[in-house]
Amino acid sequence: MKRSGPVVTLLAGLLLGLFMLSLNATTGTKSASTSYAEESPEAATASPTPTPTPTKTTASSSPSPSRAPIPDADYAGRTTDDSASVAVTLRDGKAIAYYCDGRAKESWLKGDVEEDGTMKLTGKHGAELNGTLKEGKRISGTVDIDGGRYAFTADKAKKPSGLYRATATVRGAKLDGGWIVLPDGRQVGILTRDGEPAQAPRIDPETGAVTVDGQQLTARPVTP
């Protein structure tokens, strides 16, 4: 019995040592976990970051360049068959034209000029002019009148070339005259008395003066 005492004491010491080692191991692991969580809260409560939705962008179309305005100018020329003259006056995007053979056939036509230089002018009795302004230098096209179609080219004209008109009442007769002064100085015109056409007398292109039945009139440049 005296020998069992030391043995029991030794066993008790061993058990106590094992218990303490186990306790230290458990406490160390828990502390390490707690410390990591305290130092890195993101790690303890981390959640996936949402990926931003890409924004759809639409390419803006560049504006089309604006066209230059149609320049104000006068044009005069002849038909392709050389049977008549054609003059066109452009002002502020509008046009007035005169077709004249210098004897009996004539027509006044008017309308708008499109941004691309094309024009469709209309007159009495179904007369029609279709033309295109090319580089501001000339107008080419056709005139439809009295069932016929006449191609023409009218070059840009400088004063005194261009289109003139005079209206008046002389000795009870109603007069209406139209003149085309070509770049080479030639004149083509018709003077109508009470609706009866005839070849027009010459005008002074510098002043527009013209004498009809002994009375002096003034032919003035025509504008739309």
Side-chain angles (χ1 to χ4, degrees):
M1 295 298 292
K2 290 182 181 180
R3 291 183 179 179
S4 62
V7 176
V8 172
T9 301
L10 180 60
L11 290 175
L14 290 174
L15 291 174
L16 179 60
L18 292 173
F19 175 77
M20 293 301 294
L21 288 174
S22 176
L23 181 62
N24 288 337
T26 304
T27 303
T29 303
K30 184 176 182 181
S31 299
S33 300
T34 303
S35 176
Y36 178 78
E38 289 175 352
E39 291 177 1
S40 305
E42 295 85 353
T45 60
S47 60
T49 303
T51 303
T53 303
T55 303
K56 181 182 292 186
T57 58
T58 303
S60 59
S61 58
S62 58
S64 58
S66 58
R67 294 179 181 271
I70 300 298
D72 296 346
D74 301 314
Y75 300 83
R78 298 283 291 175
T79 56
T80 302
D81 62 4
D82 202 32
S83 65
S85 293
V86 178
V88 184
T89 297
L90 307 182
R91 295 291 187 276
D92 298 325
K94 296 185 179 298
I96 187 167
Y98 184 49
Y99 169 94
C100 176
D101 67 359
R103 297 179 299 277
K105 187 180 295 186
E106 67 174 350
S107 181
W108 292 94
L109 310 100
K110 61 182 179 179
D112 296 327
V113 184
E114 303 298 331
E115 291 184 352
D116 60 359
T118 59
M119 62 193 79
K120 181 178 181 179
L121 314 182
T122 57
K124 293 181 179 179
H125 310 298
E128 184 173 292
L129 182 152
N130 289 279
T132 302
L133 174 63
K134 298 180 179 180
E135 299 179 353
K137 297 180 179 179
R138 64 181 53 88
I139 297 174
S140 298
T142 59
V143 175
D144 295 298
I145 181 173
D146 294 342
R149 173 168 291 182
Y150 304 89
F152 74 92
T153 298
D155 292 324
K156 190 173 183 179
K158 295 182 179 180
K159 298 297 183 185
S161 299
L163 178 58
Y164 297 82
R165 191 173 192 177
T167 57
T169 300
V170 177
R171 298 179 182 178
K174 185 176 292 186
L175 305 179
D176 187 359
W179 290 264
I180 297 173
V181 179
L182 297 168
D184 61 5
R186 288 184 295 165
Q187 294 186 17
V188 180
I190 288 179
L191 179 66
T192 301
R193 290 181 175 87
D194 290 334
E196 292 296 326
Q199 183 176 354
R202 287 181 62 85
I203 64 172
D204 181 348
E206 297 295 338
T207 64
V210 57
T211 301
V212 179
D213 296 340
Q215 182 170 335
Q216 183 170 305
L217 304 178
T218 301
R220 304 186 183 280
V222 177
T223 57

